[in-house]
């Protein structure tokens, strides 16, 4: 299968997520009668399903994004010892929750005589077969809850991408201008405060029309070639980042092993944001030729992801220490074209990925708008709705122009719900009749509590940082002033 074909298949993995939404208006009886057998329902062209290697590739693509580049800062917020350990702990729990979701989906498929179920249907049917009458009567709420957090998560990813694009392009642009004007101003004396710097929000607004044009492409297959190039550019960028950060690593003993508890919720939000692939687990499992091998593919794929996460996060923090920024690309040198090209390549990859992440919320929300207008206005109303949805993601980015805080907020609010809170609760509801062991119930409750605590504390700390950023700025300013005073005293002492 050629590269373009693989990318078309990659786009189509999103389809089952949308198919769930489009069936909401159909009665259970009609849904039962119209449901196609699994091998036909998920058939693509002449393919009966995706292979083991393709499943592995899609798992990697579904988890590796901007969250990876923000993990070194997450380690800073936890400590050089507790950070990697916590990251591995969250990774193991996240993978376990993915397995829980697959197992519950299989069980509910057999009970409900369905060929396959997505995430929202799995939660809905689990509530329907659960022990509580109140949940049984409101089983449809489960679907709406998952859909809501899925939309928030995907639009949150898009907002993160806007901030990422603006910060990286801003740095490349200013680095280019600085290198161009340096020979002219070589004899001039200028302080850092005199340097011209365009507001980050201006760069975000510059990207807005291009992103609107990008999402006007409604068929994701049309983006298959661009998506292939985006994946290649991001892979090349990661290789170059790795070869840079392995040089001049700081002695770990010089970095704090544990950081105060106030910063740890920021670590949690960023870490759980990075494990962003739970939404594609069931669609991939449903589309696999040999579904019995999916647990193996999931373990191998997520093992590679966790290795990549922990190594880049730890090495990145060891390389840059307290100077680490919201994305590790922002720490790369601005005067060397190779590292500037990394920012351009990764930004291109993220720009194309924006349209793919945008696809799910657009297909959930926009039909609700277009269904209420006349046929002749449907196309225009859809394009307007698409543009407004993009503007909403840009508005969030403009209102919170800090990459680390946007990532942590989206992770704490949405990712923790989908990845940690719902799966263990679904397991209890699904298997309560099968004499669940006390250990299983305790384990599920423990994971859900971790998710809820992370949700509450992560949201609180992030919102506090957003509303009262002065404390952070003041701390940085104080550090800068003290450093300047120390330097001045040293010079005076030498004199």
């Amino acid at each position: 299968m050629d590269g373009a074909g693989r990318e078309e298949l990659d786009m189509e993995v999103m389809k089952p997520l949308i198919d769930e939404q489009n069936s909401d208006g159909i009665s259970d009886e009609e849904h039962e009668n119209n449901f196609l057998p699994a091998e036909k329902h998920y058939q693509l062209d002449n393919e009966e399903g995706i292979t083991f290697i393709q499943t592995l590739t899609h798992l990697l693509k579904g988890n590796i994004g901007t969250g990876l580049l923000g993990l070194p800062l997450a380690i800073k917020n936890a400590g050089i010892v507790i950070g990697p350990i916590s990251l591995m702990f969250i990774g193991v729990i996240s993978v376990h929750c993915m397995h829980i979701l697959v197992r519950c989906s299989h069980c509910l498929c057999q009970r409900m005589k369905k060929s396959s179920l997505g995430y929202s249907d799995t939660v809905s049917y689990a509530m329907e077969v659960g022990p509580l009458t109140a949940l049984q009567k409101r089983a449809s709420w489960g679907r709406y809850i998952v859909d809501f957090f899925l939309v928030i998560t995907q639009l949150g990813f898009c907002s993160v991408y806007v901030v990422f694009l603006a910060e990286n392009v801003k740095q490349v642009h200013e680095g280019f201008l600085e290198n161009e004007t340096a020979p002219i101003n070589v004899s001039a004396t200028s302080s850092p405060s005199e340097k011209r710097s365009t507001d980050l929000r201006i760069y975000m607004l510059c990207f807005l029309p291009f992103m609107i044009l990008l999402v006007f492409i409604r068929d994701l297959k049309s983006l298959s070639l661009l998506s292939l190039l985006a994946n290649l550019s991001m892979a090349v960028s990661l290789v170059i980042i790795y070869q840079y950060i392995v040089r001049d690593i700081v002695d770990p003993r010089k970095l704090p092993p544990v950081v105060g508890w106030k910063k740890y919720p920021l670590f949690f939000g960023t870490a759980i944001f990075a494990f962003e692939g739970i939404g594609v687990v069931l669609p991939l499992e449903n589309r696999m030729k040999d579904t019995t091998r999916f647990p193996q593919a999931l373990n191998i794929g997520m093992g590679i992801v966790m290795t990549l996460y922990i190594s880049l996060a730890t090495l990145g923090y060891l390389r840059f220490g307290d100077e680490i920024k919201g994305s590790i690309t922002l720490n790369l040198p601005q005067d060397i074209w190779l590292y500037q090209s990394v920012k351009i390549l990764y930004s291109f990859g993220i720009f194309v990925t924006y349209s793919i992440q945008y696809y799910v919320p657009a297909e959930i929300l926009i039909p609700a708008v277009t269904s209420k207008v006349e046929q002749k206005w449907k196309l225009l109303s859809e394009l307007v709705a698409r543009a407004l949805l993009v503007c909403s993601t840009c508005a969030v980015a403009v209102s919170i122009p800090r990459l680390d805080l946007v990532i942590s907020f989206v992770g704490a609010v949405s990712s923790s719900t989908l990845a940690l809170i719902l799966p263990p609760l679904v397991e209890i509801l699904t298997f309560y009749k099968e004499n669940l062991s006390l250990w299983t119930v305790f384990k599920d409750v423990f994971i859900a509590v971790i998710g809820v605590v992370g949700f509450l504390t992560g949201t609180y700390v992030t919102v506090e940082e957003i509303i009262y950023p002065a404390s952070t700025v003041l701390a940085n300013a104080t550090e800068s002033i003290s450093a300047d005073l120390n330097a001045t005293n040293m010079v005076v002492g030498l004199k």
Side-chain angles (χ1 to χ4, degrees):
M1 196 172 185
D2 61 7
R6 282 196 300 271
E7 289 310 313
E8 287 185 11
L9 194 57
D10 186 35
M11 305 297 188
E12 291 294 337
V13 167
M14 290 288 191
K15 293 293 186 184
L17 289 170
I18 310 307
D19 290 342
E20 298 176 36
Q21 324 306 329
N22 295 340
S23 64
D24 286 349
I26 303 174
S27 67
D28 289 341
E29 290 78 16
E30 290 172 346
H31 193 278
E32 182 87 32
N33 294 333
N34 295 334
F35 216 97
L36 295 172
E39 65 273 10
K40 292 184 179 179
H41 184 71
Y42 291 102
Q43 189 170 345
L44 287 175
D45 301 323
N46 295 324
E47 298 278 336
E48 292 183 355
I50 58 177
T51 64
F52 182 88
I53 297 299
Q54 288 168 342
T55 304
L56 201 58
T57 305
H58 297 322
L59 278 171
L60 295 175
K61 289 176 183 175
N63 283 275
I64 297 173
T66 53
L68 167 65
L69 303 179
L71 286 175
L73 180 62
I75 298 294
K76 177 188 172 184
N77 289 327
I80 192 61
V81 173
I82 200 70
I85 294 173
S86 299
L87 191 57
M88 178 174 287
F89 178 70
I90 290 175
V92 169
I93 290 180
S94 297
V95 175
H96 178 67
C97 287
M98 292 176 183
H99 282 290
I100 287 176
L101 204 56
V102 171
R103 208 156 57 87
C104 292
S105 175
H106 285 174
C107 178
L108 292 169
C109 278
Q110 292 175 356
R111 287 195 202 176
M112 301 295 174
K113 295 180 172 58
K114 303 290 184 183
S115 61
S116 59
L117 293 174
Y119 196 165
S120 59
D121 281 331
T122 299
V123 174
S124 179
Y125 284 126
M127 291 173 66
E128 190 176 314
V129 302
L132 301 177
T133 307
L135 292 180
Q136 292 172 0
K137 291 179 180 179
R138 297 168 179 83
S140 60
W141 287 17
R143 183 179 290 108
Y144 299 139
I145 289 170
V146 174
D147 291 347
F148 172 76
F149 281 107
L150 186 62
V151 168
I152 296 296
T153 301
Q154 298 300 119
L155 292 180
F157 290 161
C158 292
S159 296
V160 168
Y161 292 169
V162 174
V163 182
F164 179 88
L165 287 168
E167 286 199 336
N168 281 271
V169 171
K170 178 179 187 288
Q171 199 178 78
V172 171
H173 181 234
E174 290 182 353
F176 173 76
L177 292 179
E178 192 175 324
N179 292 333
E180 284 290 308
T181 57
I184 302 172
N185 299 329
V186 70
S187 60
T189 57
S190 61
S191 65
S193 60
E194 292 173 351
K195 290 181 182 178
R196 284 188 170 184
S197 180
T198 308
D199 193 300
L200 186 66
R201 297 174 179 87
I202 301 299
Y203 287 89
M204 296 179 189
L205 295 175
C206 288
F207 272 110
L208 183 58
F210 297 103
M211 290 186 293
I212 290 174
L213 290 175
L214 183 69
V215 301
F216 280 174
I217 303 173
R218 292 177 293 168
D219 184 8
L220 284 180
K221 285 185 179 180
S222 305
L223 290 171
S224 59
L225 180 59
L226 279 178
S227 182
L228 175 62
L229 293 174
N231 291 329
L232 290 174
S233 66
M234 291 166 74
V236 171
S237 299
L238 284 176
V239 171
I240 298 173
I241 290 171
Y242 264 103
Q243 68 85 26
Y244 181 77
I245 63 175
V246 293
R247 313 174 187 174
D248 303 325
I249 290 178
V250 177
D251 185 351
R253 289 172 294 183
K254 293 182 179 179
L255 299 172
V258 181
V259 179
W261 66 270
K262 280 195 173 182
K263 288 288 184 182
Y264 193 83
L266 294 175
F267 161 83
F268 176 85
T270 306
I272 199 64
F273 175 91
F275 290 96
E276 59 193 53
I278 194 164
V280 300
V281 168
L282 289 180
L284 284 176
E285 196 265 349
N286 291 335
R287 300 172 74 81
M288 202 173 173
K289 284 182 181 178
D290 183 7
T291 55
T292 58
R293 297 191 65 193
F294 183 77
Q296 183 186 0
L298 184 58
N299 289 334
I300 294 173
M302 295 309 297
I304 295 171
V305 168
M306 285 174 60
T307 303
L308 190 64
Y309 282 4
I310 295 170
S311 61
L312 185 70
T314 308
L315 290 172
Y317 183 43
L318 286 173
R319 174 66 178 82
F320 298 111
D322 289 337
E323 299 300 317
I324 192 67
K325 297 182 181 178
S327 168
I328 196 172
T329 55
L330 301 173
N331 286 97
L332 298 177
Q334 290 183 252
D335 55 349
I336 301 175
W337 70 267
L338 177 64
Y339 301 116
Q340 292 289 70
S341 67
V342 167
K343 299 164 192 174
I344 296 171
L345 286 172
Y346 215 97
S347 295
F348 168 74
I350 291 299
F351 178 73
V352 175
T353 308
Y354 180 98
S355 64
I356 299 173
Q357 297 289 7
Y358 176 91
Y359 183 77
V360 173
E363 291 299 315
I364 293 173
L365 298 175
I366 290 176
V369 176
T370 56
S371 62
K372 296 178 181 179
V373 299
E374 296 179 19
Q375 184 63 38
K376 63 178 180 180
W377 299 110
K378 279 190 182 295
L379 179 59
L380 179 61
S381 63
E382 179 178 346
L383 295 178
V384 170
R386 284 177 174 272
L388 290 175
L389 211 52
V390 175
C391 290
S392 70
T393 64
C394 190
V396 172
V398 167
S399 60
I400 316 172
R402 277 185 57 184
L403 186 63
D404 56 330
L405 293 184
V406 181
I407 288 176
S408 184
F409 181 74
V410 174
V413 173
S414 300
S415 301
S416 61
T417 304
L418 294 175
L420 296 182
I421 299 174
L422 291 179
L425 297 180
V426 167
E427 183 175 39
I428 293 174
L429 293 174
T430 304
F431 297 106
Y432 84 97
K433 288 182 179 177
E434 301 182 15
N435 296 322
L436 280 175
S437 66
L438 203 59
W439 157 249
T440 303
V441 175
F442 173 79
K443 178 261 300 179
D444 286 341
V445 171
F446 176 70
I447 293 173
V449 167
I450 289 176
V452 171
V453 171
F455 175 96
L456 295 175
T457 58
T459 303
Y460 175 79
V461 172
T462 307
V463 170
E464 186 181 43
E465 287 272 346
I466 293 169
I467 297 174
Y468 304 110
S471 58
T472 306
V473 174
L474 183 61
N476 293 337
T478 306
E479 289 175 9
S480 177
I481 291 168
S482 62
D484 290 343
L485 287 173
N486 290 336
T488 305
N489 292 335
M490 189 180 294
V491 171
V492 172
L494 288 171
K495 288 182 179 179

